Amino acid sequence: MMEPKEHYDNHLGNFYSWMLGDLEPKILAFQDYLIQKNLTPQNQTISIDLGAGNGLQSIALARLGYEVIAIDFNAQLLQELEETRKKENIPIQIINADIMTVSDWKIQHPSFLLCCGDTLTHLSSINQIQEFLKLCYETLTPNGNLLLSFRDYSNPLRGDSRFIPVKADDNRILTCILEDEGKKLRVTDQLYEKSNGSWQMKISSYYKTKLSKEECLSLLKGIGFQFVWDDVFQRMTTILVTK
């Protein structure tokens, strides 16, 4: 069993971009979503993408006109983002750090924070999620927005539904296996990879924290955030709150 950072550094980061596939349609979809939800920047607004990965959200934000600070704990995925940043010459500052360092950037006066793509559930407990959300509140400028997205695992998967075929091609087969363990969800990424004509299995597990929409909204309200809306976007619970 690995910590999330170890899991990404030693396993998932090596094929994460392959798993996502063509990034451009996903960037455009997120960009359009921000436009639809009236979340485009005013003047040169600072935005922080928490758990930026290889840049799906960060690139969309920068193309819309935000000055972006992209934070992630995986250097390999951030290097891919850096290559895109150079190619497009877009304003993204790339930081290899844990998302719990968000308050270090309060001096930048960010008015838009994002934690998308199920990053929130990588935190170790509901208490740590609460502490992270408090840090986000402290970091945001007055009237600033926080956008969250995560998968709601509050209804545990049973039987065969625990096995999720993620992606396959001639050389790789990826299956995600989910096991309910009370307040935690054990996530196993099982990769079969062809090498020299034979298949080899690579496997790694880590925990996610189970979080429901209702729990998240309660935490946000208790911290002082004002609810704006919730939605389902690309099969993820999505919430916007303001300070």
Side-chain angles (χ1 to χ4, degrees):
M1 179 64 65
M2 294 188 181
E3 294 296 320
K5 177 173 170 49
E6 293 178 285
H7 180 79
Y8 275 77
D9 287 350
N10 297 310
H11 188 61
L12 185 54
N14 297 322
F15 53 88
Y16 185 86
S17 294
W18 167 82
M19 177 184 73
L20 285 186
D22 187 359
L23 201 61
E24 184 62 21
K26 296 176 176 64
I27 294 170
L28 292 174
F30 186 69
Q31 191 172 323
D32 289 344
Y33 188 70
L34 293 177
I35 293 170
Q36 173 196 334
K37 293 295 188 179
N38 227 2
L39 291 171
T40 52
Q42 303 298 319
N43 301 319
Q44 292 192 328
T45 305
I46 301 290
S47 176
I48 303 181
D49 183 8
L50 297 154
N54 59 355
L56 192 162
Q57 286 83 26
S58 292
I59 295 164
L61 290 163
R63 287 178 181 177
L64 286 173
Y66 284 101
E67 294 184 19
V68 182
I69 299 170
I71 299 175
D72 198 272
F73 59 28
N74 184 263
Q76 183 174 345
L77 293 177
L78 289 179
Q79 180 56 41
E80 295 176 24
L81 173 55
E82 171 64 11
E83 291 168 6
T84 304
R85 185 200 67 78
K86 286 181 178 178
K87 182 180 178 181
E88 297 194 19
N89 191 28
I90 46 180
I92 302 176
Q93 182 181 0
I94 297 172
I95 307 294
N96 186 358
D98 191 280
I99 62 172
M100 295 297 291
T101 65
V102 57
S103 58
D104 291 352
W105 306 98
K106 183 177 180 179
I107 193 172
Q108 300 286 343
H109 306 294
S111 63
F112 191 22
L113 302 183
L114 299 88
C115 186
C116 296
D118 213 22
T119 298
L120 193 60
T121 64
H122 287 65
L123 296 176
S124 63
S125 64
I126 293 293
N127 286 341
Q128 191 178 33
I129 290 173
Q130 182 181 40
E131 179 59 28
F132 169 70
L133 296 175
K134 286 180 180 177
L135 293 173
C136 289
Y137 187 87
E138 294 168 5
T139 303
L140 273 171
T141 58
N143 302 311
N145 290 320
L146 171 64
L147 182 68
L148 304 171
S149 75
F150 58 92
R151 298 190 188 280
D152 187 337
Y153 297 111
S154 56
N155 293 317
L157 299 174
R158 305 292 186 189
D160 293 347
S161 64
R162 296 177 297 116
F163 297 84
I164 302 171
V166 180
K167 188 172 181 178
D169 61 20
D170 291 342
N171 297 301
R172 282 174 166 169
I173 303 170
L174 176 62
T175 303
C176 183
I177 304 162
L178 305 178
E179 298 171 271
D180 185 85
E181 297 190 11
K183 294 181 180 180
K184 298 279 191 178
L185 191 76
R186 183 186 179 108
V187 181
T188 301
D189 289 319
Q190 181 187 56
L191 180 72
Y192 282 95
E193 194 164 35
K194 186 178 285 187
S195 177
N196 298 321
S198 63
W199 289 96
Q200 297 180 357
M201 184 179 73
K202 299 176 182 179
I203 194 164
S204 176
S205 300
Y206 69 111
Y207 282 122
K208 286 186 177 181
T209 297
K210 290 165 65 177
L211 178 69
S212 69
K213 180 179 74 172
E214 291 72 24
E215 284 178 303
C216 188
L217 289 172
S218 178
L219 292 175
L220 291 164
K221 182 180 179 181
I223 291 164
F225 280 107
Q226 300 298 310
F227 175 78
V228 182
W229 50 256
D230 68 83
D231 194 9
V232 176
F233 177 63
Q234 296 181 339
R235 296 182 293 178
M236 288 198 182
T237 297
T238 307
I239 297 172
L240 182 73
V241 291
T242 188
K243 180 176 177 178

